[in-house]
Amino acid sequence: MDLTSHPLVVRARRLATDLLIPEAERVDQEWVPAGHIEAVKRSGLLGVAAPVEYGGAGAPPAVLRETAEILSGACCATWFVQTQHHTPVQTLARGERAVRDRLLGPLSRGELLSGVAYAHLRSYPRRPVRVRREGTGWRFDGTVPWYTGWGLNDVMLLAGVTDCDEVLFAFAEAREQPGLRASAPMRLAALTAARTVSLDLDGFRLPAEAVALRTPYDRWAAGDRVRTLTTSPAVFGVAEAALSLLDDATAAPLRSRLTGLRERAYALADAPVPQARGGGPGAEGAGRGPAPRGELAGEDADDWTGERLAVRAQAYEVLRAATTAAVVAGGGRAMALTSRAQRLAREGLFLLVQGQTAESRAAHLRTLGGAPAAGAQDR
């Protein structure tokens, strides 16, 4: 089936055209309305990558990326709220059976919307959220600095680190309750509408059956590193939306660069991850255990990483150029808060730091300073 005719892609375009784009400037100055979330739930897009046996679409990664481009280019705040949902679905698909059987069906069918509270794990060895055994369950203490979709999500996937350096992921209802308190929604330069808060955890308790995944921190971090090297489809979605505001002559060279980078980024996303020599089945005998899923190791690892960071940085440059061109073309009118060009420019700034790690930040800053990252040569 051609990607553009896939039913979920068609639904995403209809949702963008009929609802998200006409309301985007108003939403940007207010909040993502509950009606937008209900429309996303009805569309089936929350189950795009969910297992078919649980009511999802089981669509390939290309469909997930295409729908993400469409939604982010239409209303980045709405996209950002709903995109959190796909990580809990993917976690449940390989997680503990008790919570999987309880939640994966409703999440796959779009009956429930999940948020995520785990980006703070990337600050390790600091532990902003600590987890320890308490009775037959688990106790969470600390602060989640960023939680998006408060008041819109039904459940959240909450993570913390134990004293044994394990990462523990568990599901909780996304509401204030004993031991869990939310801040007021943050006022941000972009995507204030996505309702981002911080969460204070003070003796917040969850039962054992709420746990979706427990794994050593190093194993989780290896897979997370792979994910954060990949260029977000939203970069291409917002850039394309900005190019749509330009005349053909101005947009053409930028669109050509964007198309080439999109093809490279997605080809890299679909490529296999290099594994350490001795990793995989039988590696236990070598004294290091099997290579974690997503581990980057071996002779080709530096080239593999460098090329992805280079493409990510180059995509940011095209995004910056496209959104800046849209503002320039709009003239003084682009400074109005009702201007689509100005909104897209601010959303572009947000995407520069969304999913950022120390590694990707360093590579991006080197590129901005004129030093090409490894793998940055044109192809």
Side-chain angles (χ1 to χ4, degrees), residues 40-379:
V40 172
K41 287 180 174 180
R42 292 192 301 270
S43 71
L45 292 169
L46 294 180
V48 58
V52 173
E53 59 268 32
Y54 285 90
V63 174
L64 178 60
R65 292 190 292 249
E66 183 72 10
T67 56
E69 285 193 30
I70 293 167
L71 297 183
S72 59
C75 177
C76 202
T78 300
W79 163 79
F80 193 51
V81 171
Q82 67 83 42
T83 200
Q84 317 289 318
H85 180 89
H86 301 295
T87 295
V89 167
Q90 292 162 4
T91 301
L92 276 175
R94 62 180 187 273
E96 297 292 335
R97 181 166 184 173
V99 68
R100 181 175 72 233
D101 288 348
R102 178 167 59 88
L103 286 177
L104 187 51
L107 292 173
S108 299
R109 295 188 296 269
E111 296 164 9
L112 297 176
L113 176 71
S114 181
V116 294
Y118 74 86
H120 51 274
L121 294 178
R122 296 177 185 136
S123 64
Y124 183 88
R126 288 196 304 109
R127 293 189 298 153
V129 176
R130 303 171 302 281
V131 188
R132 62 181 175 87
R133 280 277 192 188
E134 188 164 275
T136 59
W138 296 89
R139 171 178 173 142
F140 292 75
D141 290 282
T143 300
V144 175
W146 305 93
Y147 178 81
T148 295
W150 187 254
L152 295 171
N153 296 321
D154 302 294
V155 296
M156 73 171 81
L157 181 61
L158 172 64
V161 181
T162 71
D163 291 335
C164 298
D165 291 326
E166 269 193 326
V167 176
L168 185 144
F169 288 85
F171 279 89
E173 293 185 35
R175 60 175 178 82
E176 289 202 348
Q177 50 194 297
L180 189 159
R181 186 176 69 252
S183 71
M186 300 178 190
R187 299 298 300 179
L188 305 170
L191 275 71
T192 286
R195 305 193 195 192
T196 297
V197 300
S198 62
L199 300 176
D200 180 57
L201 305 169
D202 184 9
F204 180 55
R205 295 168 177 83
L206 288 173
E209 56 268 25
V211 175
L213 180 68
R214 288 174 60 191
T215 189
Y217 179 85
D218 288 346
R219 182 177 291 266
W220 174 83
D224 182 64
R225 183 184 179 217
V226 172
R227 287 187 293 273
T228 55
L229 291 173
T230 302
T231 308
S232 169
V235 171
F236 302 115
V238 172
E240 186 58 50
L243 293 180
S244 73
L245 301 180
L246 305 176
D247 62 74
D248 291 343
T250 304
L254 288 170
R255 182 169 285 117
S256 177
R257 290 172 58 195
L258 188 71
T259 299
L261 284 166
R262 180 192 287 115
E263 291 174 355
R264 285 179 63 192
Y266 292 165
L268 291 170
D270 292 336
V273 179
Q275 298 294 316
R277 278 187 294 181
E284 295 86 343
R288 69 181 302 280
R293 177 181 298 179
E295 181 179 355
L296 292 179
E299 296 177 358
D300 296 330
D302 289 343
D303 289 343
W304 194 94
T305 299
E307 186 173 13
R308 281 151 180 78
L309 288 172
V311 169
R312 177 177 166 133
Q314 291 167 26
Y316 285 149
E317 285 304 289
V318 177
L319 171 65
R320 179 187 59 80
T323 54
T324 300
V327 170
V328 172
R333 296 185 303 277
M335 291 298 99
L337 291 177
T338 54
S339 163
R340 187 182 182 198
Q342 179 262 137
R343 171 177 61 82
L344 291 169
R346 287 187 290 104
E347 291 171 351
L349 289 175
F350 165 80
L351 293 173
L352 297 182
V353 298
Q354 189 255 329
Q356 185 186 65
T357 65
E359 183 178 34
S360 63
R361 179 189 300 115
H364 193 187
L365 288 173
R366 285 195 301 270
T367 300
L368 290 172
Q377 62 268 25
D378 291 332
R379 303 194 171 193

Side-chain angles (χ1 to χ4, degrees), residues 23-30 191 193 337 343 346-347:
E23 296 287 323
E25 275 66 60
R26 180 183 65 82
V27 167
D28 176 62
Q29 294 303 306
E30 299 176 6
L191 275 71
L337 291 177
R343 171 177 61 82
R346 287 187 290 104
E347 291 171 351

